[in-house]
Amino acid sequence: MSKGKWKLKVKKDFSSAHQLRNYGGKCENMHGHNFGVEVEIEGDRLDQKVEILMDFKELKKELNEVLDTLDHKHLNSLEYFEHRNPSSENIARYIYEEMKKRVESEHVRMVFASVSEKESSVATYFED
């Protein structure tokens, strides 16, 4: 018998401004986005009492708390982006790392975090 897994995905958005250092174009000027965010977790064992991997409500709460650190901020002024460009790629990595600290356990692991500046442009960070 094969052992199955479950994946949960939640979506949220936030608004902030950034400037891409060394870009050599308009994006080097301060500008803003309504960033879309999607995170996914997976696990191989459900809670025995309720039979869920993780409560969607809890997953959304953790994501909201992470995004509160970015929402309506100038990303370049945040410590994490002091020596990293606040690109969509690095924003996705930041969200992944922060969510990993909050939700990973013996039976739950982060799969990815994606950030979009618009629907047609998405950056995803994950670890092998």
Side-chain angles (χ1 to χ4, degrees):
M1 185 166 128
S2 68
K3 187 166 178 152
K5 289 185 178 185
W6 292 268
K7 290 187 178 190
L8 302 181
K9 187 186 305 184
V10 293
K11 299 178 181 183
K12 180 86 171 130
D13 54 53
F14 71 97
S15 301
S16 65
H18 68 164
Q19 298 164 265
L20 296 180
R21 300 175 197 97
N22 307 310
Y23 182 76
K26 288 182 180 181
C27 291
E28 210 161 330
N29 298 319
M30 189 186 320
H31 63 285
H33 294 283
N34 294 319
F35 290 98
V37 175
E38 186 173 281
V39 297
E40 183 172 283
I41 62 168
E42 73 176 8
D44 58 6
R45 194 167 95 189
L46 300 180
D47 168 87
Q48 289 184 350
K49 182 178 177 187
V50 185
E51 296 184 344
I52 58 175
L53 179 62
M54 181 178 190
D55 192 332
F56 278 113
K57 181 172 55 177
E58 181 65 21
L59 184 56
K60 289 176 184 177
K61 175 186 158 297
E62 297 298 346
L63 180 57
N64 285 337
E65 289 179 9
V66 170
L67 296 185
D68 280 348
T69 66
L70 304 173
D71 192 38
H72 284 77
K73 302 278 183 8
H74 179 217
L75 298 179
N76 297 64
S77 68
L78 301 178
E79 184 180 343
Y80 187 87
F81 297 107
E82 190 174 310
H83 300 290
R84 293 179 185 94
N85 237 348
S87 62
S88 292
E89 292 86 346
N90 281 332
I91 297 168
R93 178 170 47 185
Y94 170 80
I95 293 168
Y96 179 97
E97 291 171 353
E98 292 300 309
M99 287 296 291
K100 183 176 181 173
K101 292 177 203 173
R102 293 165 174 268
V103 303
E104 282 206 349
S105 68
E106 186 179 340
H107 302 289
V108 175
R109 83 169 188 91
M110 280 293 297
V111 177
F112 70 78
S114 290
V115 171
S116 59
E117 295 181 2
K118 50 187 169 184
E119 273 188 44
S120 61
S121 306
V122 180
T124 300
Y125 181 81
F126 61 97
E127 297 176 350
D128 293 327

